Amino acid sequence: MPIYEFTCEQCGHEFSVLVRRMGDSAACPECHSEHVKRRMSGFAAHGGKTGSGGYAPT
Ligand SMILES: [Zn+2]
């Protein structure tokens, strides 16, 4: 089971969440902000993209 690490962009709190499905979102346990950044620990997936994909499927 993958455990993802998140960093809250609001308060800077770092926490980890057990994610069962890809695409699950998480909220900061400290300030309950959903502006969290997922840190892929254990994977070499550091693209450096800021997640605002330019393509909309609709
Ligand atoms: Zn926070």
Side-chain angles (χ1 to χ4, degrees), residues 1 4-5 10 13 15-16 18-21 23 27 30-32 35 37-38 41 45 47 50 52 56:
M1 282 177 280
Y4 292 139
E5 291 182 38
Q10 190 126 313
H13 183 66
F15 58 101
S16 48
L18 184 71
V19 178
R20 294 176 184 220
R21 293 178 316 175
E30 289 291 315
C31 68
H32 304 288
H35 295 280
K37 243 187 317 193
R38 191 166 70 200
S41 65
T50 37
S52 51

Side-chain angles (χ1 to χ4, degrees):
M1 282 177 280
I3 294 179
Y4 292 139
E5 291 182 38
F6 292 87
T7 302
C8 178
E9 294 188 315
Q10 190 126 313
C11 71
H13 183 66
E14 296 183 357
F15 58 101
S16 48
V17 172
L18 184 71
V19 178
R20 294 176 184 220
R21 293 178 316 175
M22 294 285 285
D24 267 4
S25 59
C28 174
E30 289 291 315
C31 68
H32 304 288
S33 167
E34 291 185 356
H35 295 280
V36 295
K37 243 187 317 193
R38 191 166 70 200
R39 295 154 53 211
M40 298 287 256
S41 65
F43 291 92
H46 237 280
K49 275 196 240 173
T50 37
S52 51
Y55 48 88
T58 25

